[in-house]
Amino acid sequence: MEKDKKIIIKVRAIILHEGKLLAVRHPHDTSFAALPGGHLEWGEDIKECLSREIVEELGIKPEIGRLFYINNFSQTDGKQYIEFFFEAKNGKDYLNTEKLARSHAHEIAEIVWVSPTDSVKILPKSFGEDFNAGKIISNEVRYINDK
């Protein structure tokens, strides 16, 4: 039924340093890496949400820059997700996050710095392909709808 369906808004940070991308593996499935971030809470501003989530997960406040991607996907459990991917302009600040106080460190199994030539599966797939091709930074916001 329609009443059982939900739309969930999420935000993610694109954190780059010297050509590498900071990605995280989650405890429920370490076969892929994703961008750090999380769910928008009721009444929360989208950039405030990104800042909160990154501080919780990585321990450092991001300098939020431009919006690079919007991702839209549905899952079989009746949830539709809309994700906003913003750049974090202070990538070098995240080099040693493992030693920082991180209130939500339990949500992350591993923090990895990925090069475009690494064989790490990054989700969403279209974003991972753009990263491997050196195309994530653009003058336009890109829309992802991986099926």
Side-chain angles (χ1 to χ4, degrees):
M1 306 201 101
E2 288 296 316
K3 66 179 178 144
D4 297 328
K5 300 198 182 294
K6 285 185 168 184
I7 296 174
I8 298 170
I9 299 172
K10 297 178 84 175
V11 290
R12 300 207 175 269
I14 298 172
I15 301 172
L16 297 167
H17 181 68
E18 295 182 350
K20 292 185 176 182
L21 174 72
L22 186 149
V24 297
R25 295 185 195 275
H26 294 101
H28 67 279
D29 187 348
T30 59
S31 68
F32 67 90
L35 299 176
H39 299 84
L40 187 72
E41 293 179 0
W42 178 257
E44 188 174 36
D45 175 84
I46 199 161
K47 287 186 176 181
E48 289 172 3
C49 174
L50 181 59
S51 184
R52 175 185 54 76
E53 287 285 349
I54 298 306
V55 169
E56 288 174 355
E57 293 180 2
L58 302 175
I60 296 171
K61 185 173 180 161
E63 292 175 21
I64 300 171
R66 295 184 296 149
L67 174 65
F68 281 135
Y69 287 84
I70 298 172
N71 184 24
N72 182 25
F73 65 98
S74 298
Q75 293 191 327
T76 56
D77 61 0
K79 294 178 182 170
Q80 178 179 349
Y81 294 86
I82 301 170
E83 298 181 310
F84 297 90
F85 294 50
F86 288 91
E87 74 174 322
K89 300 190 291 185
N90 55 326
K92 67 176 173 34
D93 295 345
Y94 294 88
L95 293 175
N96 296 308
T97 57
E98 293 287 346
K99 298 175 182 169
L100 298 174
R102 301 179 296 132
S103 64
H104 288 59
H106 62 278
E107 294 177 357
I108 297 174
E110 182 182 16
I111 298 169
V112 292
W113 283 95
V114 183
S115 294
T117 55
D118 292 344
S119 60
V120 174
K121 179 180 176 183
I122 299 172
L123 294 181
K125 182 181 172 192
S126 295
F127 176 84
E129 290 170 352
D130 282 356
F131 173 67
N132 291 337
K135 297 180 180 177
I136 59 172
I137 297 175
S138 171
N139 289 328
E140 63 183 47
V141 176
R142 288 193 219 124
Y143 177 71
I144 301 171
N145 188 1
D146 290 344
K147 300 283 182 195

